[in-house]
Amino acid sequence: MLQGPSLRQAPSLRPLTTAHLAQTMSLLELTSVELHQKIESELARNPALELSDKKRCPTCKQLISNNRPCQRCSSPNSISPDEPIIFISPREDFYIPSSLSSDELPEDNFTPDIEDLPTYVMKQIAPDLDHEDAIIAAHLLTNLDDDGLLQTTIIEVAQFHHIPPSKVEKILSQIQRSEPLGVGSPNPKEALLVQLEVLNESMSTPPLADKAISQGLELLSKHQYPELGRMLGISTRRVQEIANFISENLNPYPARGAWGGIRQAPQKNTDVYTNPDVIIKLLTDSPNSPLVVEIVSPFAGLLQVSSIFRSSINQAPPDKADQWKSDLGRAELLVKCIQQRTNTIVRLMKRIVIQQREFIIHGDRHLKPVTRASLAFALDVHESTISRAVSSKTVQLPTGHIVPLSKFFDRSLHIRAALKQIILKETKPLSDNEIAKILKKQGYAVARRTVAKYRAMEGILPSHLRQMQSTTEVT
DNA sequence: CTATGGCACGGATT
DNA sequence: AATCCGTGCCATAG
């Protein structure tokens, strides 16, 4: 043992702190779903961990220790318009398997109540169907999951009704083309393809986007853009554009945008388009109302070290003593690190939400370019901390769109939004050079080459191909 | 000749 | 240290 100069801490504490740091870091990178999984597996393995039985306020889901309503809900006067309301939502109810959820799922008063999905869709297509078709449609619609994806197969339905699969297919494609677009698709991939196809009728879509989805969805969701680029024979940047377009305009889980639900069990979790980690809403319809920021943090406040386990640590059988001890340490560490993770995210989000209020409410054009580094400075944390916290997390905006948190750090988003407007308002197709000039007038000094890049990123065709296409409607 | 896309370089960002 | 992004230069298409 070295006699180190520092006597401030017991030697055994040393590795604990570094482990602590390391784990905090790695936890920070996890999305809420990933964290949820980790906690669950840890709960199953580690007897020192348990979930407390604290109740949560039925309206705001904050933890409450007794039967009093939580302060936040009982004193709504304390909110000032500029201060965002931030709270941490365990949301564990959404992860409960369907057997329990059907009747125990509490009202979700963060999303507007709408009629249930099957009837909503049925109303749209009913006029086009005869009686027999309607029965099939109903059959299909009752087999949707909460994401709006089909849980049965075409063959199965066809056999059930003794009709050719092609007929079922036809009806299904009608369903897929109604709102929410892509509903009834058997998988996210097909949902995306349908959406892309329909969208293509009204606006320009990036070339090869269909191939990227049909052949490279795996790579796409893993962000392996260079890889995918090679596969399709296009540049990485192109792939990036496609990916942007998809996350902007398409939704692999058709019902989720309108519905905003969080479910989804062990599927692939490295996906941008899955459950949000943060949900931002307006408290009221007024654009001046404060923002409500819900930070999804699985089991927040519920996970704790079992006090029974802790107090009986001394009575451990000799052969198990080490094991117990390490379990206890592990549990304490995990709880602490999760707290820290949550704390970091809360501070981060608070700052972002205040800074980017305009953007959140009024859209892309109002995003203030802020680098992670400057935010790190403001929050007095290391840059890498911000990077980790931002990477791979997603936010649901008041519009219902789920976007990557990194969108808040897009340096050129506001310019691209301005560009989109210019194109939208143009009467004759403007060349990149002309667009660059207009942008310059608006205060965005960008090179003509850059305009071309932005244009491509937004999936806008070059001027000579833009000619006749917007004859549909202009108001 | 003009408009655009590819490639590559250098500086900023992570 | 690795990656991203804006730009300039050049080739190609119309």
Side-chain angles (χ1 to χ4, degrees):
Chain A
M1 289 275 186
L2 287 175
Q3 299 267 44
S6 102
L7 297 172
R8 329 168 252 178
Q9 31 188 230
S12 64
L13 226 56
R14 248 312 201 185
L16 194 77
T17 32
T18 56
H20 175 229
L21 263 174
Q23 181 152 20
T24 313
M25 284 302 168
S26 67
L27 284 181
L28 201 53
E29 294 181 43
L30 299 183
T31 67
S32 55
V33 177
E34 288 164 343
L35 183 62
H36 181 269
Q37 286 164 4
K38 185 179 171 80
I39 294 176
E40 269 196 338
S41 74
E42 203 62 27
L43 267 173
R45 179 184 325 148
N46 192 334
L49 279 174
E50 66 174 17
L51 292 180
S52 82
D53 54 356
K54 281 188 200 161
K55 295 283 185 290
R56 278 176 295 112
C57 169
T59 43
C60 73
K61 307 200 178 178
Q62 288 296 92
L63 288 171
I64 47 177
S65 43
N66 43 39
N67 285 332
R68 271 181 300 149
C70 69
Q71 303 94 320
R72 179 117 45 187
C73 287
S74 50
S75 57
N77 307 333
S78 60
I79 50 179
S80 83
D82 291 334
E83 277 286 301
I85 305 170
I86 295 186
F87 61 89
I88 299 158
S89 153
R91 282 263 171 175
E92 83 279 8
D93 43 317
F94 289 101
Y95 296 96
I96 296 173
S98 50
S99 56
L100 270 174
S101 63
S102 52
D103 41 38
E104 298 209 359
L105 202 68
E107 278 306 311
D108 184 1
N109 44 20
F110 297 104
T111 51
D113 284 36
I114 53 173
E115 56 189 329
D116 82 296
L117 187 61
T119 45
Y120 177 68
V121 177
M122 195 47 142
K123 276 185 185 170
Q124 298 173 62
I125 57 169
D128 302 332
L129 303 174
D130 60 34
H131 182 66
E132 193 184 323
D133 290 351
I135 292 175
I136 314 229
H139 186 161
L140 289 167
L141 288 172
T142 48
N143 280 291
L144 300 179
D145 66 10
D146 293 315
D147 290 330
L149 298 177
L150 192 65
Q151 289 302 296
T152 180
T153 63
I154 290 180
I155 305 296
E156 218 168 283
V157 177
Q159 282 173 346
F160 186 86
H161 292 280
H162 306 290
I163 53 167
S166 60
K167 186 155 189 185
V168 181
E169 211 163 58
K170 208 174 137 201
I171 296 171
L172 182 61
S173 87
Q174 276 189 61
I175 293 175
Q176 286 175 298
R177 283 162 177 283
S178 46
E179 289 289 328
L181 220 48
V183 63
S185 303
N187 53 53
K189 183 189 282 188
E190 193 156 320
L192 289 175
L193 286 172
V194 171
Q195 289 164 18
L196 183 69
E197 197 184 322
V198 174
L199 230 53
N200 198 26
E201 290 161 13
S202 58
M203 66 186 282
S204 59
T205 57
L208 288 177
D210 53 339
K211 275 212 181 96
I213 293 170
S214 59
Q215 295 171 24
L217 190 60
E218 274 292 302
L219 295 173
L220 208 54
S221 58
K222 285 187 196 150
H223 298 264
Q224 295 172 359
Y225 300 147
E227 184 91 3
L228 183 57
R230 248 169 277 139
M231 196 174 111
L232 297 173
I234 56 178
S235 66
T236 306
R237 186 178 287 271
R238 275 264 186 266
V239 179
Q240 178 75 53
E241 287 154 17
I242 292 173
N244 283 345
F245 177 85
I246 291 173
S247 62
E248 274 281 322
N249 301 298
L250 310 183
N251 179 358
Y253 304 99
R256 208 176 271 179
W259 204 285
I262 299 185
R263 201 168 297 257
Q264 193 66 333
Q267 275 265 338
K268 291 138 220 142
N269 41 27
T270 45
D271 195 335
V272 194
Y273 315 111
T274 42
N275 309 319
D277 302 283
V278 178
I279 300 171
I280 304 177
K281 304 244 158 157
L282 276 163
L283 187 62
T284 70
D285 288 337
S286 154
N288 295 323
S289 88
L291 291 168
V292 181
V293 182
E294 178 180 357
I295 293 173
V296 179
S297 182
F299 303 116
L302 294 171
L303 190 71
Q304 61 187 22
V305 178
S306 161
S307 55
I308 299 173
F309 190 95
R310 176 177 273 142
S311 57
S312 56
I313 188 80
N314 297 323
Q315 300 153 31
D319 57 323
K320 292 276 175 107
D322 278 354
Q323 178 64 38
W324 285 32
K325 225 173 176 145
S326 97
D327 279 349
L328 186 65
R330 222 183 133 104
E332 283 171 337
L333 184 66
L334 184 70
V335 170
K336 205 166 176 179
C337 290
I338 289 176
Q339 274 178 9
Q340 197 143 116
R341 178 194 117 106
T342 310
N343 186 264
T344 306
I345 297 176
V346 166
R347 295 207 309 142
L348 172 70
M349 286 314 300
K350 185 166 183 181
R351 186 85 194 184
I352 290 181
V353 163
I354 294 174
Q355 229 167 31
Q356 305 288 7
R357 188 171 208 281
E358 291 291 297
F359 159 70
I360 291 165
I361 296 170
H362 295 117
D364 292 357
R365 243 170 344 120
H366 302 87
L367 181 74
K368 301 184 184 78
V370 174
T371 64
R372 301 166 182 17
S374 68
L375 205 63
F377 181 78
L379 292 178
D380 196 27
V381 294
H382 198 275
E383 296 169 21
S384 70
T385 309
I386 303 286
S387 285
R388 287 168 192 278
V390 167
S391 71
S392 84
K393 290 206 181 51
T394 55
V395 182
Q396 185 171 41
L397 300 176
T399 57
H401 289 146
I402 299 176
V403 302
L405 184 52
S406 56
K407 182 166 179 171
F408 285 85
F409 300 93
D410 190 320
R411 276 176 276 166
S412 58
L413 186 73
H414 56 137
I415 309 184
R416 297 206 305 274
L419 181 144
K420 267 201 264 188
Q421 277 218 325
I422 293 173
I423 302 277
L424 210 64
K425 285 194 295 194
E426 80 183 358
T427 41
K428 78 172 174 49
L430 297 165
S431 77
D432 290 350
N433 244 328
E434 294 168 310
I435 296 173
K437 250 173 103 182
I438 299 176
L439 280 174
K440 191 154 207 164
K441 260 189 218 155
Q442 297 184 7
Y444 305 115
V446 287
R448 97 107 254 281
R449 189 64 191 82
T450 309
V451 172
K453 300 267 186 197
Y454 287 170
R455 189 170 45 64
M457 276 192 207
E458 299 299 333
I460 300 168
L461 292 169
S463 61
H464 57 276
L465 294 175
R466 243 183 288 142
Q467 315 256 342
M468 292 289 289
Q469 56 120 40
S470 62
T471 39
T472 38
E473 46 162 42
V474 183
T475 19

